[in-house]
Structure formats: structure tokens, C-alpha cells
Amino acid sequence: AQSVAQPEDQVNVAEGNPLTVKCTYSVSGNPYLFWYVQYPNRGLQFLLKYITGDNLVKGSYGFEAEFNKSQTSFHLKKPSALVSDSALYFCAVRDLNQAGTALIFGKGTTLSVSS
Amino acid sequence: DAGVTQSPTHLIKTRGQQVTLRCSPKSGHDTVSWYQQALGQGPQFIFQYYEEEERQRGNFPDRFSGHQFPNYSSELNVNALLLGDSALYLCASSLGQAKTAEAFFGQGTRLTVV
């Protein structure tokens, strides 16, 4: 079965420090991977995706993600965290076994950036 | 350009009742998906509509049904509500059926079943 795992429920970093939010995946075939962010009482906002090509993907708001096929990981990174980055982050993989384009989400990681 | 819009924002229903949630996709998008996000969990896929047909369905009972209209807007219907149906219901739209396309989400409808 296809799945994603976010091993950390919460990540705490100080403003200005680099941040990493971890994600590992399990799929049959080549994965299509996505990161979304959710602010309180809001829907999900798309940050970036990996389809193929360069293992380092750049996205919105200064975020980037590193795809590692051997470790089946797709970690979200940012060189310098902002307090406004505090939110709930979801990793997702596209379901390749079905006809449609459903996303399979991890349980989420809460990022808390302190000033 | 309006993004994905959902209505209503909040809803309180009694156990056993029926509810209808509505979604208008982002302009130009023809595919609509519905997700259920329980408190503290990631979104769970309910079903997807494309060309007014149910294209894919997740592991949800038949109490959950939907519809897509010719203008690509969509409805989610839930019958015989249970307390466990309390959740944030998210609508997402995308263009076509390409596996590479990102989905854009609405702000969600918070359903509380009492």
C-alpha cells in the first residue's frame, strides 16, 4: 500500500535558524510528492512538488525540499525560519494505483518558530 | 481570480440528519476532490469527480455521496450523520487527470454533529 510518514508530531526552531520537516514515503513506482501548509482554521496551501529531475525542489515562501530515492525521503527545508512559518505541514504522495488523482497525506507536523 | 470556495463555513447538525456541502472549483479547473480532516489528523480522501462522473473513491461508506454539475461545481452529501462525521471537510480542485498536477484547496467546511 502507498503511504507517507511524518515521524515528528512537532518541530521547534528559533527564528533565523534553519528548519527541516521530515517525510518518508512508500510507493510502487516513481513517486509524485507534495508539501502543503495549513494555517489555523484554513484550508491547505500548496508549497512545492517533486515529479522528476533535480532532487532539490524550490517552492513558495523560501521553502525547498530534497528528494532522496535511496532513503525514500522528501524532507522540507528552509535556510532561515520566520515566526510566520509557524503552522501545520503535510507531506502527500499521489495515489498511482487508482484511475484518479487522489492524494495520500501524512498525519502532519506542527512547526513552531520562536522569536 | 477566485480560488476554491466552499459553503457553508461552519455547520452544526444533529445525529441522524443529512447534510449537503458545496464547492466551486478554481477558475478553469474541471476536477473536484473531497477530503475529510478529523481533528489532529491528515486529510483523508473521500472521492473525486471529473466530467460529472465519480472518478475515484476512497474508503468511505455509501452514506457519503456526491455530484458534479456541468459548471464543474460539486456537492458532498452525507446521510444518517454520526458523531464521528464531525470534521473539517475540504474541497480541492485541479486541472484534468494528470498525476503531476497540484491540487488547490478551499478553506473547508467545519461540520459538527451533536
Side-chain angles (χ1 to χ4, degrees):
Chain A
Q2 299 175 107
S3 64
V4 292
Q6 295 181 241
E8 302 157 317
D9 289 338
Q10 180 146 348
V11 171
N12 299 308
V13 298
E15 188 174 31
N17 283 358
L19 69 87
T20 298
V21 182
K22 296 180 180 178
C23 171
T24 59
Y25 65 89
S26 174
V27 301
S28 53
N30 294 320
Y32 297 151
L33 296 157
F34 302 80
W35 275 102
Y36 285 84
V37 61
Q38 186 176 36
Y39 295 97
N41 301 313
R42 301 287 297 276
L44 277 65
Q45 295 180 29
F46 170 75
L47 284 178
L48 50 79
K49 66 180 178 181
Y50 172 82
I51 302 302
T52 187
D54 194 349
N55 289 342
L56 186 63
V57 179
K58 294 191 182 297
S60 306
Y61 313 118
F63 284 94
E64 57 191 26
E66 186 172 10
F67 172 70
N68 187 315
K69 188 172 184 177
S70 63
Q71 297 185 3
T72 62
S73 67
F74 187 54
H75 298 334
L76 182 70
K77 299 174 184 286
K78 188 173 184 181
S80 179
L82 300 172
V83 172
S84 58
D85 292 330
S86 298
L88 183 56
Y89 290 80
F90 290 100
C91 180
V93 65
R94 182 125 286 149
D95 185 349
L96 300 178
N97 289 341
Q98 304 293 328
T101 59
L103 290 167
I104 300 168
F105 285 88
K107 64 186 175 131
T109 298
T110 298
L111 173 66
S112 179
V113 182
S114 57
S115 57
Chain B
D1 177 25
V4 179
T5 59
Q6 293 185 241
S7 63
T9 306
H10 295 85
L11 203 53
I12 299 175
K13 288 289 190 178
T14 302
R15 189 173 48 183
Q17 285 188 316
Q18 178 265 344
V19 68
T20 297
L21 309 181
R22 295 175 175 82
C23 172
S24 292
K26 182 178 169 64
S27 179
H29 285 184
D30 55 8
T31 299
V32 173
S33 303
W34 287 92
Y35 292 82
Q36 181 195 67
Q37 185 180 13
L39 201 60
Q41 301 295 318
Q44 297 289 316
F45 175 74
I46 302 175
F47 44 55
Q48 181 179 86
Y49 280 86
Y50 173 65
E51 295 186 339
E52 301 181 56
E53 297 284 336
E54 184 180 285
R55 180 74 171 168
Q56 185 179 354
R57 188 177 182 91
N59 188 27
F60 278 79
D62 292 344
R63 297 187 297 110
F64 290 78
S65 63
H67 188 77
Q68 185 178 36
F69 299 93
N71 67 353
Y72 306 125
S73 66
S74 177
E75 289 182 347
L76 163 65
N77 300 294
V78 187
N79 294 323
L81 285 167
L82 303 174
L83 296 179
D85 295 330
S86 295
L88 181 66
Y89 288 84
L90 295 166
C91 173
S93 74
S94 53
L95 179 60
Q97 289 287 287
K99 296 288 190 183
T100 57
E102 59 266 33
F104 291 83
F105 285 79
Q107 83 285 1
T109 294
R110 173 73 63 186
L111 173 64
T112 302
V113 182
V114 297

